[in-house]
């Protein structure tokens, strides 16, 4: 693909040396020159191409280009440049001894290597900026940095137009017609006639259902202009035949008697309101005609969650509440808010101001004495709204209340003992301040790292200083303070915090081994090693949390231990915490851990399934290098999410129920301990809200279906041929629901929702090209001149007679397009 050049202005501050480019223009391009296999190691040879379009020469020394990259960069020294690791994912490129400066108007290629096959833009350098050594405060981002596609040509064969055509084909037997509501209800019965309204109905509800009453009042007011009520809409709490879940509901629309929603609990009424909302027309028409209908429904799993990472790239309260609204529409009920990590602490804690004045700020500086350095493309400016930001009490309470109004619970996550660099460095900044004020005892009160710790480790994100020390009494004071303040914030919002997620994942090998404080703890408690220190740490945290009325949740490492088996590390259930009501969120279903969630459930732990290959929504949807997202675990499209069989994921495939050899299935007791499902959206490669929409939707709908709807017949079938027939018919029915009803409804009710529209499939047959799409009814446009289709391009209406290359793209009702695909 052709190079993408972007002219970048560097507005350098007054008082700088005259030899520096000032007020000029730079152009920067990153590309992959080649990929090499060196023994067992794969290396990518990459290139920065820098053009000085200013009127001044770039000097021979005294500057650096900084950038972040998820793929890492190999430290190296050549005559022209040196590449140095700064912290975590932050690197810098400095001029080498032979670099003689870059004259005005000149260009230079700066070559270096990155480990692995850098085949996707998410692994490319992000947020590059130029900084002069003697003026760090004047560092300037290199504009809207753009990247050459690292893999030229067409997408991988499995995502090419012909493969898409085969996957989009309708089944031989279509099965039942699509329903009206998503997720699929337990019972949906159509009656006779319609309920016609020309004015909003009179809404009757007890005080306990005030949020639902207000929600319906707003919905009907948006559709109907009449001022005098017409008909009745009754909300009630009461039994629902055959159901015990508080989220069970019965929705009845009767032409003579109006609308009635009964829920076992207020949550059930809220879910019934969302079903009614999907039945309303997309746009106001002055008149509503609702079908006579009865729905009786209840969720399959009690926990139906989404984890949103606001630590790596920050999201405002309004942006979080927008995600909450989307969750509510499809009956998810838990927002897992990833509030802290190495790259940011996002919640103000009274009495510990450095957590946010230091730990919630990222920007360039000569050192990290004032704030964290840039990460994940945040660039040099500490005012960058994604790198920097936090929730004060008012903002956090606003999130809690907007979720509570939709009967969604917020599960806060405070990462520890790893993934804690922002907290560790913030408390070191606090200690420095108090030492300078002559208060040494207070300086040590909340310290999280033993200053004498010489342990050597490297976290998955490249840090060697991101671990909380279990041997320090100040560690437990800190955790108690944070949990107490969290509980207080919930109380101020009128809510009760009952459970907190404390991370527990990816502690670097070697951590604590040379910490005097941890070694002293091990000696005092007669602990055999750092694995026992881990148990002691979480045992103490669990007791402190219990004193506050809190239960613990965490990633699977909270309830697992690493052991050697056949020469490989393997995670096994840790008997220490069995029966302690720890909830484990299990993401690791990778090589050797495909059945880890089931083994933990069988061992006695409550488990939430969050498999990386199925429900990590930061994964790219396809191999196409134009698709946003990462790929370290998998490529996961909507079909991968929808085809997940939560209680039978050791089957050979979605349509082959035969078990994979060597994997444990769920026991009867283990099945009862699977609490539910959670999709996760980590934000390392996700800066903008439109990226959130694209990565979440429509995969969020697949999560909602699998978490709420009853176990589908294809997941219960034991014969492979029968399983495939049932699966394909059900998948077609569900695709029709999206294409014919739900996506048009979303286009009208959420016009700014930038969901992913998949590209169409194309197949050449003789002198014709056949075109189809994942969602029946979707508009597809095409061109024959190699250009990307636009709003005025011809619409596909049957087979296209041509022997020329054809480029096609799918269009939403709002005019957004899929990625274009070309069939030669």
């Amino acid at each position: 693909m052709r190079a993408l050049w972007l002219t970048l202005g560097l507005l350098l501050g007054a008082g700088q040396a005259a030899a520096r480019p000032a007020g000029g223009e730079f152009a920067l391009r990153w590309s992959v020159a080649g990929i090499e296999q060196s023994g067992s190691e794969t290396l990518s040879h990459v290139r920065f191409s820098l053009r000085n379009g200013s009127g001044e020469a770039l000097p021979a020394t005294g500057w650096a280009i900084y950038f972040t990259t998820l793929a890492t960069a190999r430290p190296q020294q050549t005559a022209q440049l040196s590449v140095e690791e700064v912290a975590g994912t932050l690197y810098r490129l400095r001029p080498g001894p032979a670099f003689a400066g870059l004259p005005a108007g000149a260009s230079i290629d700066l070559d270096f290597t990155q480990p692995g096959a850098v085949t996707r833009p998410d692994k490319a350098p992000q947020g590059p900026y130029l900084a002069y050594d003697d003026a760090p405060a004047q560092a300037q981002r290199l504009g809207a940095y753009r990247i050459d596609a690292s893999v030229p040509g067409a997408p991988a064969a499995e995502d090419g137009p012909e493969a898409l055509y085969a996957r989009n084909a309708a089944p031989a037997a279509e099965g039942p017609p699509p329903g009206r509501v998503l997720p699929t209800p337990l019972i949906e019965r159509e009656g006779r006639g319609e309920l016609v309204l020309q004015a909003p109905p009179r809404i009757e509800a007890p005080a306990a259902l005030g949020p639902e009453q207000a929600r319906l009042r707003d919905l009907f007011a948006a559709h109907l202009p009449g001022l005098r009520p017409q008909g009745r809409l009754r909300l009630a709490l009461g039994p629902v035949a055959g159901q015990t879940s508080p989220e069970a509901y019965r929705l009845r629309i009767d032409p003579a008697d109006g609308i009635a929603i009964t829920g076992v609990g207020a949550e059930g009424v809220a879910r019934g309101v969302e079903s009614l909302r999907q039945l309303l027309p997309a746009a106001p028409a002055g008149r509503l005609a609702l079908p006579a209908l009865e729905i009786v429904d209840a969720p399959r799993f009690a926990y139906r969650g989404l984890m949103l990472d606001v630590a790596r790239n920050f999201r405002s309260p309004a942006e979080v509440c927008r995600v909450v609204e989307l969750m509510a529409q499809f009956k998810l009920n838990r927002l897992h808010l990833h509030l802290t990590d190495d790259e940011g602490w996002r919640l103000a804690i009274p009495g510990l101001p450095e957590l946010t004045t230091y730990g919630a700020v990222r920007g360039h500086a000569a050192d990290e004495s004032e704030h964290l350095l840039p990460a994940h493309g945040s660039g040099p400016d500490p005012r960058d709204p994604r790198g920097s930001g936090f929730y004060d009490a008012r903002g956090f309470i606003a999130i809690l209340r907007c979720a509570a109004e939709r009967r969604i619970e917020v599960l806060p996550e405070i990462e520890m003992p790893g993934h804690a660099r922002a907290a560790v460095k913030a408390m070191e900044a606090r200690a420095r301040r108090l030492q300078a004020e002559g208060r040494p005892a207070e300086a040590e009160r909340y310290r999280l790292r033993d200053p004498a710790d010489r342990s050597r480790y490297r976290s998955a994100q490249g840090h060697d200083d991101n671990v909380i020390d279990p041997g320090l009494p100040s560690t437990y004071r800190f955790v108690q303070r944070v949990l107490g303040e969290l509980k207080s914030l919930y109380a101020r919002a009128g809510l009760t915090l009952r459970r907190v997620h404390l991370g527990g994942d990816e502690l670097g090998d070697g951590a604590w081994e040379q910490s005097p404080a941890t070694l002293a703890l091990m000696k005092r408690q007669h602990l055999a090693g750092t694995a026992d220190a881990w148990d002691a740490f979480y045992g103490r945290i669990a007791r402190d949390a219990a004193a506050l009325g809190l239960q613990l949740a965490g990633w699977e490492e909270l309830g697992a231990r690493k052991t050697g088996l056949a020469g490989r590390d393997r995670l096994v259930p840790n008997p220490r915490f069995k029966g302690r009501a720890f909830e484990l969120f299990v993401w690791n279903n990778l090589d050797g851990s495909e059945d880890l969630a089931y083994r933990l459930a069988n061992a006695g732990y409550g488990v939430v399934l969050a498999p990386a290959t199925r429900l990590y929504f930061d994964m790219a949807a396809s191999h196409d290098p134009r698709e946003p997202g990462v790929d370290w675990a998998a490529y996961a499209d909507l079909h991968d999410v929808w085809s997940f069989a939560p209680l039978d994921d050791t089957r050979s495939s979605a349509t082959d129920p035969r078990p994979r050899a060597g994997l444990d299935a769920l026991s009867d007791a283990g099945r009862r301990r699977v609490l539910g499902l959670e999709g996760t959206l980590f934000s390392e490669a996700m800066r903008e809200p439109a990226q959130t929409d694209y990565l979440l939707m429509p995969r969020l709908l697949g999560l909602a279906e699998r978490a709420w709807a009853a176990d589908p017949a294809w997941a219960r079938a034991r014969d492979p041929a029968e399983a495939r027939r049932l699966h394909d018919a059900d998948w077609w029915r569900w695709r029709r629901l999206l294409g014919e009803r739900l996506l048009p409804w979303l286009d009208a009710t959420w016009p700014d929702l930038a969901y992913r529209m998949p590209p169409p499939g194309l197949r050449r047959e003789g002198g014709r090209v056949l075109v189809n799409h994942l969602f029946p009814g979707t508009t597809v446009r095409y061109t024959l001149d190699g250009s990307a289709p636009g709003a005025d391009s011809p619409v596909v209406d049957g087979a296209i007679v041509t022997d020329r290359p054809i480029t096609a793209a799918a269009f939403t009702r709002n005019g957004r397009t899929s990625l274009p695909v070309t069939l030669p």
Side-chain angles (χ1 to χ4, degrees):
M1 296 180 68
R2 69 181 186 274
L4 300 176
W5 284 82
L6 183 67
T7 301
L8 311 168
L10 296 180
L11 305 178
L12 304 179
Q16 296 183 15
R20 296 173 182 168
E25 295 177 335
F26 281 80
L28 185 69
R29 176 170 61 101
W30 178 89
S31 60
V32 178
I35 297 176
E36 172 193 3
Q37 191 68 36
S38 177
S40 61
E41 186 178 20
T42 303
L43 296 175
S44 294
H45 299 284
V46 300
R47 173 171 295 166
F48 271 140
S49 299
L50 183 67
R51 181 177 183 274
N52 184 358
S54 76
E56 303 288 344
L58 186 67
T61 61
W63 58 270
I65 293 176
Y66 289 77
F67 60 90
T68 63
T69 174
L70 292 176
T72 74
R74 172 170 287 187
Q76 56 211 267
Q77 174 76 55
T78 70
Q80 289 291 330
L81 63 89
S82 67
V83 176
E84 303 167 354
E85 184 178 20
V86 181
T89 62
L90 181 65
Y91 295 80
R92 65 185 167 210
L93 184 153
R94 287 187 177 279
F99 183 78
L102 187 62
S107 300
I108 190 170
D109 289 338
L110 303 171
D111 296 338
F112 57 103
T113 59
Q114 292 186 248
V118 181
T119 58
R120 295 190 56 80
D122 63 279
K123 295 183 174 68
Q126 304 291 332
Y129 62 93
L130 177 68
Y132 289 98
D133 296 351
D134 60 355
Q138 296 168 355
Q140 294 290 325
R141 182 187 286 269
L142 295 181
Y145 170 61
R146 301 290 295 274
I147 301 163
D148 277 356
S150 55
V151 179
E158 55 262 53
D159 293 310
E162 292 174 300
L164 290 173
Y165 186 90
R167 292 208 294 268
N168 292 345
E174 292 194 5
R180 295 175 177 272
V181 171
L182 187 151
T184 304
L186 285 174
I187 299 171
E188 182 177 335
R189 301 189 190 99
E190 290 210 27
R192 292 184 178 181
E194 294 179 324
L195 171 65
V196 177
L197 296 174
Q198 294 178 320
R202 181 175 68 258
I203 302 172
E204 303 169 3
L209 300 178
E212 288 70 38
Q213 184 179 35
R215 194 164 178 77
L216 285 169
R217 188 179 294 119
D218 291 342
L219 282 174
F220 279 98
H223 280 82
L224 296 169
L227 297 178
R228 297 182 61 185
Q230 178 189 354
R232 302 171 66 198
L233 196 166
R234 288 160 289 167
L235 304 180
L237 298 172
V240 174
Q243 305 301 326
T244 58
S245 167
E247 293 183 281
Y249 69 92
R250 177 176 178 262
L251 165 64
R252 188 167 181 265
I253 301 174
D254 185 272
D257 199 34
I259 304 169
I261 301 175
T262 300
V264 172
E267 300 91 341
V269 175
R271 310 309 171 226
V273 167
E274 295 305 333
S275 290
L276 177 60
R277 182 177 184 177
Q278 289 185 36
L279 296 171
L280 298 178
R287 175 182 180 274
L288 289 181
L290 299 175
L293 185 70
E294 181 182 39
I295 291 176
V296 177
D297 205 4
R300 181 184 186 189
F301 292 111
Y303 188 106
R304 306 178 308 283
L306 175 70
M307 191 224 73
L308 184 64
D309 173 12
V310 298
R312 271 61 171 270
N313 277 304
F314 184 64
R315 293 288 180 267
S316 70
E319 290 168 335
V320 175
C321 287
R322 184 175 184 273
V323 173
V324 167
E325 177 71 16
L326 196 60
M327 293 171 61
Q329 287 201 355
F330 301 104
K331 303 184 177 71
L332 300 182
N333 65 351
R334 298 289 191 277
L335 174 65
H336 171 181
L337 207 53
H338 189 79
L339 289 165
T340 73
D341 214 297
D342 295 322
E343 301 87 356
W345 179 286
R346 306 303 188 182
L347 181 65
I349 300 296
L352 300 177
E354 281 82 4
L355 284 174
T356 48
T357 60
Y358 181 102
V361 181
R362 297 203 304 250
H364 183 72
D367 56 38
E368 283 190 302
S369 59
E370 298 297 324
H371 52 67
L372 297 170
L373 291 175
H376 304 308
S378 58
D381 189 351
R383 297 165 299 178
D384 177 81
R386 303 304 174 195
S388 301
F390 66 94
Y391 306 120
D392 59 14
R394 181 178 179 181
F396 190 66
I397 288 170
I399 292 172
L400 296 179
R401 285 177 175 164
C402 85
E405 287 170 0
R406 291 154 181 81
R407 310 296 180 180
I408 290 175
E409 181 180 329
V410 178
L411 173 66
E413 180 181 356
I414 307 295
E415 269 274 16
M416 62 182 72
H419 281 281
R421 190 172 189 267
V424 169
K425 301 290 281 186
M427 291 302 93
E428 289 180 359
R430 178 184 183 275
R432 288 194 300 271
R433 172 177 64 84
L434 293 168
Q435 288 280 6
E437 293 175 1
R439 302 162 63 189
E442 182 60 23
E444 299 299 314
R445 182 168 178 76
Y446 293 109
R447 200 159 206 161
L448 300 177
R449 184 171 181 263
D450 186 341
D453 186 0
R454 298 296 179 263
S455 301
R456 297 179 63 84
Y457 62 91
R458 187 176 179 86
S459 75
Q461 286 71 34
H463 296 294
D464 60 5
D465 56 356
N466 74 331
V467 171
I468 291 174
D469 198 315
L472 295 173
S474 50
T475 286
Y476 304 100
R477 282 194 291 270
F478 175 84
V479 175
Q480 290 167 7
R481 179 67 177 266
V482 170
L483 296 185
E485 295 295 343
L486 259 175
K487 188 172 182 181
S488 175
L489 283 169
Y490 276 70
R492 289 172 61 184
L495 304 168
T496 301
L497 176 64
R498 294 184 173 87
R499 193 170 302 272
V500 63
H501 195 294
L502 293 184
D505 62 317
E506 296 185 326
L507 181 70
D509 290 340
W512 304 336
E513 290 180 355
Q514 300 300 319
S515 162
T518 295
L519 293 173
L521 169 72
M522 292 166 59
K523 184 177 181 180
R524 287 195 309 272
Q525 297 192 13
H526 307 290
L527 306 178
T530 53
D532 287 344
W534 170 282
D535 289 351
F537 172 73
Y538 270 112
R540 168 71 183 273
I541 296 296
R543 292 193 299 273
D544 290 345
L548 291 168
L550 302 175
Q551 290 289 338
L552 295 191
W555 300 109
E556 70 259 19
E557 292 97 325
L558 185 61
R561 272 203 173 194
K562 189 182 295 184
T563 187
L565 182 66
R568 299 177 59 187
D569 286 338
R570 179 176 169 85
L571 287 172
V572 299
N574 183 351
R576 172 73 180 267
F577 299 126
K578 186 175 71 173
R580 295 285 294 273
F582 285 12
E583 288 182 0
L584 303 184
F585 289 61
V586 185
W587 65 267
N588 189 356
N589 69 331
L590 305 180
D591 185 28
S593 295
E594 295 90 340
D595 60 350
L596 176 59
Y598 293 175
R599 289 188 282 117
L600 289 166
N602 292 345
Y605 287 100
V607 165
V608 174
L609 304 177
T613 64
R614 296 281 192 172
L615 300 181
Y616 264 43
F617 295 153
D618 52 317
M619 297 296 144
S622 84
H623 295 77
D624 190 327
R626 298 171 297 176
E627 287 281 1
V630 299
D631 67 346
W632 59 263
Y635 296 96
D637 64 10
L638 176 62
H639 181 263
D640 294 313
V641 178
W642 183 90
S643 294
F644 178 42
L647 303 184
D648 193 16
D649 198 35
T650 57
R651 58 200 288 138
S652 295
S653 72
T655 57
D656 186 349
R658 290 172 293 190
R660 285 175 282 170
L663 300 181
D664 288 357
L666 277 169
S667 65
D668 290 342
R671 293 172 72 91
R672 293 191 293 272
R673 297 189 188 105
V674 175
L675 307 173
L677 310 184
E678 178 170 276
T680 62
L681 191 59
F682 286 102
S683 66
E684 293 98 326
M686 184 190 73
R687 280 180 54 81
E688 301 306 325
Q691 293 173 303
T692 302
D693 291 352
Y694 190 94
L695 291 169
L696 273 183
M697 291 290 286
R699 291 185 290 192
L700 186 77
L701 306 180
L703 167 66
E705 179 75 3
R706 289 286 76 85
W708 177 281
D711 198 17
W714 56 262
R716 303 190 305 272
R718 295 296 94 191
D719 175 67
E722 178 69 359
R724 172 166 288 280
R725 184 188 68 79
L726 292 169
H727 172 279
D728 291 353
D730 197 24
W731 175 229
W732 175 251
R733 176 197 63 81
W734 204 76
R735 287 166 51 191
R736 284 186 60 194
L737 172 60
L738 266 63
E740 297 171 8
R741 181 175 178 82
L742 190 63
L743 294 182
W745 181 79
L746 282 173
D747 286 339
T749 57
W750 285 73
D752 61 343
L753 185 67
Y755 63 84
R756 177 181 184 261
M757 174 58 74
L762 308 174
R763 189 181 78 186
R764 198 173 293 279
E765 190 177 87
R768 307 182 308 160
V769 174
L770 307 180
V771 183
N772 65 8
H773 195 267
L774 181 67
F775 304 130
T778 297
T779 298
V780 177
R781 298 178 182 271
Y782 71 98
T783 62
L784 299 175
D785 61 2
S787 63
D792 57 350
S793 299
V795 174
V796 173
D797 184 16
I800 302 166
V801 179
T802 183
D803 57 2
R804 298 169 60 186
I806 179 171
T807 300
F811 284 69
T812 70
R813 278 76 177 172
N814 295 334
R816 290 188 306 101
T817 70
S818 71
L819 292 172
V821 292
T822 299
L823 182 68

